Amino acid sequence: MTSAPEQEEAGRDASGRSTNGRPAAPAVVRPRTAGDDGPASGRGFLVRPGSPMPLGAHCSVGADGVAGTGFALWAGDAEAVELCLFDADGHETRLALTESADGVRHGFVPGVGPGQRYGYRVHGRWDPWTGERRNPAKLLLDPYARAVDGEFTLPPEVYGHVRDWPEQHVADTVRDDRDSAPYVPKGVVVADAGPDAWRGDRRPGTPWADSVIYELHVKGFTRLHPGVPERLRGTYAGLGHPAAVGHLTRLGVTAVELLPVHQFAHEDHLLRRGLRNYWGYNSIGWFAPHAGYAATGTAGQQVAEFREMVRALHAAGIEVILDVVYNHTAEAGELGPCLSLRGIDNRGYYRLSRDARRYADFTGCGNTVHVLQPQTLRLVTDSLRYWVTEMGVDGFRFDLASALARTHHEVDMLAPFLSVLAQDPVLRGVKLIAEPWDVGAGGYRTGGFPPPWAEWNDHFRDAVRDFWRGALPDVRALGYRLSGSSDLYDWGGRRPYASVNFVTAHDGFTLHDLVSHERKHNAANGEGNRDGTDDNRSAHHGTEGPTDDPAILALRRRQLRNLLSTLLLSTGVPMLVAGDEFGRSQGGNNNAYCQDGPVGWVDWSLLDDPSWRELCALTGRLIALRRAHPVLRRRSFFAGRPRSADGLRDLAWFSARGTEMTERDWYAPGSTLGMYLSGRDIPDRDELGRRVTDASLLAVLHAGEQPVEVTLPGPPWATAYELALDTSLERQSAEPGTLHGAGSVVRVPGRSVLLFRVVGEGG
């Protein structure tokens, strides 16, 4: 405990009463450590003024021709900033950055080059009641650090307050002056990519409408891959290996969407339970590739390794999209660690509540990044541009994007963040995908983001799941989802590819578990099975979880074929999840965010099973079918009106009777729907200005348990129909399908999709 004079210094009198109008707080804990007698002298280093731009650490040549590194940190109204350099043995040298411009502290240090480890100590007010949380005892990661060496383990020393203070309701106000430097990772100086870094690389530039996205985890995708050398498994180099890339090209996907690869930290509550953050939605370094996924080293080598991975994927025609988390950081709420932004300028980087001790939390993760602040918006957009220009990525999926679109009180589609991206010459040309919700009031905005944004379409997910488990009251919702969700996206110039269609994602059941479990099984997460959603819209088809019953197993595989077919035959941009194409299971865990092991990793041994190989082959066949048929990749919404004298439309819906759906049919309970897509009425032109035409297709989706007799539409819709797909079959034939005359009756097996190519449309 502190003495009476120390209490007075902290804003209390000797009796502990507040002297500044705020509630009294416990005494400040100030353990003494080596080096407490002040900053190191910095012998051997000379700090020159340098420049406030660019922010971060950048190698260059000084005015005298001597190479060095310029350092620049926006620190607001900090009283002082020390640049801390670390040698190979961890010895620290502190250098004062005395130059300041517009809140940026800067300096140039000759002799410092790539590979140098560094951090910052920021001096200033410790006043949690007003949101000030600077503590120079804490070594802080440069927000612009382009590589990070080490891993965050979160011992008590890395907290700005006394983490284990007995009275937790005021613990965040008790400053902890123990030095955190021995316990935290360091930033690493990295050389700029240079003008020749991407020479010879060609971005695929896949049009939105032609895209098929494949969501994967860098580590989990390759950790068990038998074709990837052991030393490369679970790394960027492993994902860029021919064995991993080969699976993607055989499948036919056009883009990988990588779960977060920004440097992240593990949450304290997980570390205490012996678990780790696996998914990575806990970012702390928005410029740095996560060091844990590097095979070649963490002293800057991870940057080059990531670039080589991107090159390998680009060479195979595959784009790289990053799942990015700019809505919150790993510093969590007021009881979280002090790792970077909190200690630099807490008020400048985070949204605070009216009680400035607390954080406005629209993310469910303890804090919300304050992108209304110019310097914070600059940090985020600088990071995005860096990943495009220097790291080669092709787009971003924004976690909880509504939190980034909030102004002072509500989500606003004219918010600065959205406006800046829309006009930025670099960012407006890449793929931008919103997860269109957050956890705050008014945060659910599916269908609300403006061009050029695409969105994860959870309406598609829910309608398709409900249809195939027999829970839709009628087929209206399914019709909208199959045809591009015009009810959500046909406004403001948006196109069908604004809808990123998915049935599963990293968050929730895998596709296999979706047809095998009706309840989540998350006990391994250590939260009493309370975590994860209870709204799974799933069905186990006879028994919960694993079974040896051949009939149940066959039905589950059929449902997998139905779900994949529905996804890949729908208008919009389909997104698959790694391993779903061959039956990957998480054992019913629908929130495997902390399962860095076999539960979360892709099990490639499943492909030894012929039935799972067939499912994988079907997925590839469906993607190839989509690629071959422009009618499945429309760039504009269907008109649904006759375009020619014969009365045919670009989109028509049919009942099992072979007649067009009436108003009564749409509202009546039903489990069968026919969708007719006209290939002659595509309003698109190719690069030479020629009309795009295609064969017409008829898809019949039947979710009922029993077979149904379906009459195929007669002339002028077709003269005949050639069967192209039947999901009731375990194996699809490569031979031309059976021909059925127009108006004939076909027997559609229970729970199946039949796809026909139309012969003789219009007459």
Side-chain angles (χ1 to χ4, degrees):
M1 298 294 290
T2 57
S3 65
E6 287 173 318
Q7 287 182 331
E8 293 175 18
E9 204 173 67
R12 294 182 303 281
D13 62 21
S15 66
R17 292 190 297 269
S18 173
T19 62
N20 53 18
R22 292 186 294 273
V28 176
V29 174
R30 295 182 177 177
R32 309 300 291 176
T33 63
D36 269 356
D37 52 350
S41 64
R43 288 187 300 272
F45 293 100
L46 173 66
V47 182
R48 294 174 178 170
S51 171
M53 292 183 63
L55 291 169
H58 293 269
C59 303
S60 62
V61 176
D64 58 357
V66 176
T69 298
F71 295 89
L73 175 75
W74 185 89
D77 59 357
E79 295 171 6
V81 172
E82 292 174 309
L83 169 66
C84 305
L85 304 179
F86 294 84
D87 65 18
D89 297 322
H91 297 141
E92 177 181 359
T93 299
R94 302 184 192 179
L95 307 173
L97 297 182
T98 58
E99 300 291 331
S100 178
D102 300 325
V104 176
R105 297 297 182 112
H106 56 90
F108 179 82
V109 186
V112 169
Q116 173 66 56
R117 299 190 306 150
Y118 74 102
Y120 290 104
R121 297 182 187 273
V122 179
H123 298 253
R125 295 180 64 202
W126 171 267
D127 189 4
W129 296 272
T130 61
E132 302 283 0
R133 294 183 177 273
R134 292 188 173 99
N135 183 345
K138 307 306 166 184
L139 185 76
L140 305 174
L141 183 68
D142 179 4
Y144 280 77
R146 290 180 286 174
V148 175
D149 182 37
E151 184 174 37
F152 290 97
T153 57
L154 304 190
E157 289 83 356
V158 307
Y159 290 74
H161 65 280
V162 179
R163 187 190 71 181
D164 301 321
W165 189 260
E167 300 174 80
Q168 282 290 294
H169 66 287
V170 290
D172 68 292
T173 70
V174 187
R175 197 175 76 183
D176 185 331
D177 285 351
R178 288 174 288 187
D179 185 11
S180 71
Y183 309 100
V184 294
K186 314 303 188 288
V188 180
V189 175
V190 175
D192 292 342
D196 296 329
W198 292 100
R199 188 181 300 276
D201 178 77
R202 183 173 182 179
R203 294 177 184 265
T206 306
W208 257 124
D210 299 339
S211 297
V212 178
I213 298 173
Y214 188 82
E215 187 193 49
L216 65 83
H217 188 285
V218 167
K219 181 176 183 180
F221 186 69
T222 61
R223 185 62 187 85
L224 300 176
H225 197 301
V228 175
E230 178 67 34
R231 63 183 178 83
L232 301 182
R233 295 179 188 175
T235 69
Y236 305 118
L239 180 55
H241 188 272
V245 176
H247 178 77
L248 301 171
T249 54
R250 287 190 296 273
L251 202 57
V253 299
T254 69
V256 290
E257 183 175 302
L258 307 183
L259 267 66
V261 296
H262 289 165
Q263 185 70 39
F264 63 86
H266 306 290
E267 293 91 330
D268 181 69
H269 70 91
L270 291 177
L271 295 172
R272 291 177 185 233
R273 296 201 301 270
L275 297 170
R276 297 159 57 86
N277 187 311
Y278 171 58
W279 287 348
Y281 290 91
N282 207 37
S283 300
I284 195 61
W286 289 327
F287 286 76
H290 186 64
Y293 302 154
T296 51
T298 60
Q301 298 94 332
Q302 62 266 53
V303 177
E305 184 178 331
F306 185 94
R307 289 174 182 150
E308 287 306 308
M309 175 199 73
V310 173
R311 279 183 174 276
L313 290 164
H314 282 179
I318 297 170
E319 294 183 307
V320 178
I321 298 171
L322 301 188
D323 195 336
V324 289
V325 186
Y326 293 108
N327 59 79
H328 75 279
T329 76
E331 292 184 303
E334 63 271 12
L335 295 176
C338 184
L339 308 175
S340 183
L341 303 182
R342 172 174 284 141
I344 297 170
D345 191 317
N346 188 55
R347 296 179 62 88
Y349 283 116
Y350 292 117
R351 287 178 178 262
L352 304 182
S353 65
R354 290 184 179 179
D355 173 4
R357 269 182 64 192
R358 318 293 183 192
Y359 293 82
D361 184 9
F362 298 110
T363 67
C365 299
N367 65 55
T368 305
V369 174
H370 202 344
V371 291
L372 290 181
Q373 296 277 16
Q375 72 283 347
T376 310
L377 181 58
R378 177 184 177 184
L379 169 62
V380 172
T381 53
D382 282 353
S383 166
L384 291 167
R385 281 189 293 270
Y386 171 77
W387 285 95
V388 174
T389 59
E390 292 213 28
M391 302 298 275
V393 306
D394 305 285
F396 305 93
R397 178 266 188 188
F398 292 81
D399 180 65
L400 300 181
S402 291
L404 299 169
R406 286 187 177 271
T407 52
H408 289 291
H409 302 292
E410 61 184 14
V411 178
D412 183 350
M413 293 305 160
L414 295 176
F417 176 77
L418 300 183
S419 298
V420 166
L421 265 62
Q423 60 78 43
D424 187 282
V426 172
L427 301 178
R428 69 190 180 198
V430 301
K431 290 182 167 67
L432 302 175
I433 305 170
E435 182 183 35
W437 50 78
D438 64 19
V439 302
Y444 181 77
R445 292 302 180 96
T446 299
F449 277 72
W453 288 82
E455 300 174 17
W456 272 22
N457 186 352
D458 58 318
H459 289 247
F460 183 95
R461 174 198 65 197
D462 294 348
V464 171
R465 288 186 179 193
D466 281 347
F467 176 75
W468 286 110
R469 70 187 181 109
L472 277 184
D474 51 55
V475 293
R476 285 177 295 154
L478 182 67
Y480 274 120
R481 304 312 146 224
L482 291 172
S483 58
S485 296
S486 60
D487 58 327
L488 297 173
Y489 301 111
D490 191 6
W491 64 272
R494 304 187 82 184
R495 299 298 184 96
Y497 46 75
S499 176
V500 176
N501 299 331
F502 66 104
V503 178
T504 58
H506 65 275
D507 190 1
F509 281 149
T510 66
L511 203 65
H512 175 277
D513 290 351
L514 189 68
V515 301
S516 306
H517 297 274
E518 292 185 354
R519 304 186 304 276
K520 64 187 181 186
H521 298 269
N522 297 357
N525 297 351
E527 300 178 41
N529 208 42
R530 295 184 300 274
D531 63 304
T533 182
D534 293 312
D535 183 20
N536 294 295
R537 301 173 187 247
S538 60
H540 58 46
H541 299 99
T543 189
E544 182 71 9
T547 180
D548 294 326
D549 187 319
I552 294 176
L553 293 174
L555 177 55
R556 288 176 177 176
R557 289 194 296 271
R558 180 181 295 195
Q559 290 289 64
L560 293 178
R561 295 192 291 271
N562 291 332
L563 291 164
L564 287 167
S565 298
T566 306
L567 173 64
L568 289 164
L569 295 177
S570 295
T571 300
V573 178
M575 184 185 79
L576 298 157
V577 177
D580 274 357
E581 70 273 22
F582 50 83
R584 184 177 78 89
S585 172
Q586 293 177 168
N589 191 322
N590 74 350
N591 189 34
Y593 78 105
C594 56
Q595 296 301 317
D596 188 3
V599 170
W601 300 341
V602 174
D603 181 4
W604 294 91
S605 70
L606 291 167
L607 287 171
D608 295 335
D609 184 328
S611 62
W612 294 130
R613 287 201 302 273
E614 288 297 336
L615 184 68
C616 189
L618 172 67
T619 307
R621 178 171 178 168
L622 286 164
I623 294 173
L625 185 74
R626 185 180 185 86
R627 185 169 58 247
H629 286 285
V631 74
L632 296 173
R633 300 180 280 107
R634 287 181 58 104
R635 289 158 169 76
S636 57
F637 288 102
F638 293 97
R641 298 185 298 273
R643 290 180 177 272
S644 55
D646 56 22
L648 298 186
R649 292 179 293 285
D650 56 1
L651 172 67
W653 303 99
F654 289 89
S655 69
R657 303 184 303 274
T659 58
E660 291 191 67
M661 295 281 285
T662 64
E663 189 83 0
R664 177 177 294 180
D665 290 330
W666 282 114
Y667 282 88
S671 59
T672 308
L673 182 64
M675 176 178 67
Y676 185 102
L677 305 174
S678 173
R680 72 172 188 174
D681 291 315
I682 302 172
D684 299 330
R685 295 181 180 273
D686 64 17
E687 294 178 351
L688 298 178
R690 298 168 299 194
R691 283 191 56 214
V692 174
T693 59
D694 188 17
S696 297
L697 301 174
L698 173 68
V700 178
L701 296 85
H702 174 53
E705 294 183 26
Q706 302 303 318
V708 65
E709 303 258 305
V710 171
T711 301
L712 300 176
W717 297 100
T719 57
Y721 297 87
E722 179 189 6
L723 184 64
L725 175 73
D726 181 354
T727 63
S728 71
L729 303 175
E730 287 272 2
R731 184 174 186 179
Q732 304 299 310
S733 173
E735 301 299 322
T738 305
L739 276 178
H740 299 270
S744 62
V745 176
V746 297
R747 184 177 183 272
V748 179
R751 291 172 170 151
S752 61
V753 176
L754 268 59
L755 179 69
F756 298 92
R757 289 189 181 90
V758 171
V759 178
E761 178 185 17

